[in-house]
Amino acid sequence: MDIKNEDLKIELRKLTKDDYLGLKASMVEAYSDWEGASFWGEAHISKLVEIFPEGQICLLVNGAIAGCALSLIVDYDKFGDNHTYAQITGNYTFSTHNPKGDVLYGIDFFVHPEYRGMRLGRRLYDARKEICERHNLRAIIAGGRIPQFKNYADKLSPKEYLDKVKGKEIHDPTLSFQLSNDFHVKKILKGYLPGDTESLEYASLLEWNNIYYNEEAAHINSKKSIIRLGLVQWQMRPFPNLESLCEQIEFFVDVVSDYQSDFILFPELFNAPLMTAYNHLSGAEAMREIAKSTIPLRDKFMAYAISYNINIITGSMPYLDNGMLHNVGFLCRRDGTYEMYEKIHLTPAEKSAWGMVGGDSIATFDTDCGKIGILICYDVEFPELPRLLAEQGMQILFVPFMTDTQNGYTRVRSCAQARAIENECYVAIAGSVGNLPKVHNMDIQYAQSAVFTPSDFSFPSNGIKAEATPNTETTLIADVDVDLLKELHSFGAVRNLKDRRVDIYKIINNSKP
């Protein structure tokens, strides 16, 4: 399969009866190496969709079913830990489904082999966890195959095999993946699934515990309340080529996604080290040369967003449009879509040293975590822009920045913190550190990345959710609760948005659509 990253469209949704042919084709490919496997009949899928539509999830890539997770709700005490697949499914009739049960039981899970390696399986598992939380079920339980066991059965018992997989001495494509998704093995079952010769008919009884049991949980695909932000405090240093720069980018995306972050934010003009190859040119000419790498970098970010299941805010990069040099960035969503944003206000140095021009559009962006705004560095020092975004429903404002001195940083930081208070939103800022002695107008960097909050009883008293160590390459991970913003808006000690005197003043958005 040869699909360009920019052509990918990822969609997670409920399975329908009309999906049957696509599901069948995908399942046949997924189980092609298992002689005892067969595909679900159309009547089976229709029954599942009828009795528990929310528990049947499919993941589509460009409209084709790339993976699927099928589930039931069961009263687990009726079965206990010693059961077979036939028993838990009511001999494949699904009569065991009980909406008043206490466990979400996974009866099938697969990803089409052509789409493996894109980390799509984790999305399906995350969706299952959301269903479990929403229905206030105490756990997810499933019988998992151990397909590599046949290669070790002559020298290892099932328990010894399990211990070696846990210790990463052996990689089992099914069990290792499940363990990495926070499942633990309750016990080993014998004769669980007749015909599974690869597992020698053994299975691992897996469980994921819902820590929110007895608490109200969110709907699948609904906007989350707790959003995890990952900020990259980027070290400016020479990179010999674009490939090495991308390796460093992917390193940070990998690290931050491992913490299940919803967003990762890179700084403004983080790719400036590429200018070292053009140090013989003027600063303006060198900036135009590295602008040629902006679209390739965007495509890399899009691939990482899909592969690592994280929304990426690419900081900013130079961009040539009809001969004019702009300072732009991209929101690369994990569903495969992207949008561009641009810097509106340019500093005197950007104009004189590089000949940049400002953009003329400003808008919020819809994401799977709600509405966000993105402003590049100097833009956050103009309160009109964040106010326009707040009026459009922005809950989190991301600010990639680049400052050379502590004076410049203080301006960005102080204004960002003010924007959080006056617009009742979270503001995340990320900048670069280190030196670039061979790059004109980019010699030194100063930064302390941070996440700011409104100032009220539900938030930190100093309005700082988290901040990084100054002038050190690092990442900053922080959780923000957008439900607290709703409470603040209606019940805060002060209500900056509601108490505006719009009868005597207003802000008008004249930006281009």
Side-chain angles (χ1 to χ4, degrees):
M1 182 182 65
D2 184 17
I3 299 177
K4 295 181 179 179
N5 291 316
E6 60 266 32
D7 295 333
L8 291 179
K9 172 66 177 177
I10 313 296
E11 181 185 6
L12 179 71
R13 63 167 173 78
K14 298 176 187 176
L15 191 71
T16 70
K17 296 179 182 180
D18 293 338
D19 292 319
Y20 176 70
L21 291 179
L23 178 142
K24 174 183 173 182
S26 185
M27 188 176 183
V28 167
E29 291 297 322
Y31 292 117
S32 61
D33 59 346
W34 182 16
E35 294 181 1
S38 61
F39 50 83
W40 289 109
E42 189 170 4
H44 289 115
I45 297 303
S46 295
K47 181 69 172 179
L48 285 170
V49 170
E50 178 183 340
I51 64 174
F52 187 26
E54 193 173 28
Q56 323 314 322
I57 308 163
C58 61
L59 198 149
L60 288 78
V61 176
N62 294 345
I65 292 182
C68 189
L70 308 177
S71 307
L72 299 172
I73 296 176
V74 300
D75 183 354
Y76 194 72
D77 286 341
K78 292 183 178 180
F79 303 95
D81 291 341
N82 293 304
H83 61 265
T84 65
Y85 188 76
Q87 290 170 339
I88 205 72
T89 60
N91 201 26
Y92 311 103
T93 66
F94 313 128
S95 60
T96 53
H97 175 68
N98 181 358
K100 296 182 180 180
D102 63 336
V103 161
L104 185 71
Y105 200 100
I107 62 170
D108 207 340
F109 180 99
F110 63 87
V111 174
H112 191 291
E114 289 188 346
Y115 298 100
R116 291 169 187 169
M118 296 174 62
R119 295 178 174 82
L120 300 181
R122 187 166 72 175
R123 300 192 189 208
L124 290 167
Y125 267 102
D126 289 345
R128 262 189 182 165
K129 292 172 184 177
E130 289 181 21
I131 294 172
C132 183
E133 293 171 1
R134 172 189 164 183
H135 286 270
N136 193 32
L137 303 173
R138 66 174 180 83
I140 301 173
I141 293 179
R145 301 174 63 215
I146 46 176
Q148 291 297 314
F149 179 59
K150 66 176 184 179
N151 299 325
Y152 299 88
D154 59 336
K155 50 190 173 185
L156 296 176
S157 68
K159 182 181 183 304
E160 291 170 334
Y161 177 80
L162 172 64
D163 290 339
K164 287 188 177 294
V165 174
K166 285 182 178 179
K168 302 188 183 300
E169 296 179 56
I170 296 175
H171 176 77
D172 185 289
T174 300
L175 181 56
S176 296
F177 175 72
Q178 291 158 333
L179 293 174
S180 71
N181 278 275
D182 300 323
F183 281 75
H184 65 272
V185 179
K186 298 189 72 176
K187 65 177 301 180
I188 296 292
L189 299 175
K190 173 62 175 173
Y192 178 75
L193 194 60
D196 185 3
T197 56
E198 287 188 317
S199 307
L200 302 184
E201 297 189 1
Y202 285 100
S204 56
L205 186 63
L206 297 147
E207 182 176 36
W208 176 84
N209 298 110
N210 176 17
I211 63 171
Y212 300 111
Y213 185 52
N214 285 332
E215 297 179 16
E216 183 177 351
H219 294 271
I220 182 173
N221 285 338
S222 66
K223 301 299 185 289
K224 300 169 63 175
S225 170
I226 306 297
I227 312 299
R228 180 159 295 176
L229 312 181
L231 282 55
V232 177
Q233 192 156 284
W234 177 271
Q235 174 80 37
M236 289 289 199
R237 56 182 174 275
F239 289 98
N241 50 46
L242 182 62
E243 182 181 22
S244 61
L245 179 75
C246 290
E247 289 176 356
Q248 188 67 9
I249 292 170
E250 185 174 13
F251 163 76
F252 280 116
V253 174
D254 187 9
V255 167
V256 172
S257 71
D258 277 347
Y259 289 95
Q260 314 299 316
S261 297
D262 297 291
F263 293 95
I264 181 172
L265 172 65
F266 285 84
E268 178 185 23
L269 296 177
F270 71 94
N271 63 331
L274 296 177
M275 295 173 69
T276 54
Y278 309 103
N279 200 44
H280 59 287
L281 303 175
S282 68
E285 292 171 325
M287 190 63 75
R288 279 163 173 76
E289 286 296 324
I290 72 166
K292 297 175 182 177
S293 67
T294 292
I295 297 304
L297 277 171
R298 180 204 66 188
D299 294 344
K300 281 288 188 181
F301 275 116
M302 289 170 62
Y304 298 150
I306 293 170
S307 180
Y308 290 94
N309 191 25
I310 189 170
N311 298 303
I312 302 178
I313 299 164
T314 67
S316 81
M317 298 170 274
Y319 178 70
L320 278 170
D321 183 17
N322 293 322
M324 306 298 288
L325 188 65
H326 296 257
N327 189 349
V328 310
F330 300 91
L331 165 63
C332 297
R333 300 184 184 90
R334 48 189 164 193
D335 68 359
T337 62
Y338 76 92
E339 294 190 64
M340 188 175 81
Y341 52 87
E342 52 189 341
K343 192 170 186 177
I344 307 298
H345 300 91
L346 298 176
T347 63
E350 287 175 289
K351 296 176 184 177
S352 61
W354 301 322
M356 283 184 168
V357 297
D360 53 14
S361 64
I362 178 171
T364 56
F365 300 107
D366 289 315
T367 73
D368 55 8
C369 298
K371 285 186 179 291
I372 67 167
I374 308 171
L375 296 175
I376 302 174
C377 197
Y378 193 30
D379 282 338
V380 80
E381 298 178 29
F382 296 84
E384 300 89 349
L385 299 187
R387 177 51 51 86
L388 287 171
L389 297 176
E391 290 178 344
Q392 296 175 26
M394 172 189 68
Q395 295 175 309
I396 306 173
L397 175 62
F398 292 93
V399 182
F401 72 91
M402 181 189 69
T403 51
D404 53 355
T405 66
Q406 196 165 355
N407 292 12
Y409 169 72
T410 298
R411 289 193 297 268
V412 172
R413 179 189 177 97
S414 299
C415 291
Q417 198 159 10
R419 303 297 87 87
I421 293 171
E422 65 198 19
N423 294 298
E424 298 175 356
C425 66
Y426 295 103
V427 180
I429 67 172
S432 296
V433 301
N435 306 315
L436 283 176
K438 294 185 178 181
V439 177
H440 301 302
N441 204 43
M442 299 284 290
D443 313 74
I444 58 175
Q445 317 290 324
Y446 183 93
Q448 183 181 22
S449 302
V451 177
F452 303 121
T453 73
S455 183
D456 213 314
F457 297 113
S458 298
F459 304 93
S461 57
N462 60 357
I464 303 172
K465 177 66 177 180
E467 55 187 348
T469 302
N471 265 17
T472 301
E473 184 172 55
T474 187
T475 58
L476 182 66
I477 310 292
D479 287 347
V480 296
D481 188 344
V482 294
D483 280 350
L484 293 180
L485 300 178
K486 300 173 186 176
E487 297 176 14
L488 173 68
H489 184 64
S490 298
F491 307 111
V494 295
R495 301 161 198 177
N496 295 81
L497 289 178
K498 281 191 171 183
D499 292 341
R500 288 173 297 149
R501 289 290 306 276
V502 294
D503 56 322
I504 60 174
Y505 61 82
K506 62 181 178 180
I507 300 176
I508 301 173
N509 186 354
N510 289 324
S511 67
K512 293 182 179 180

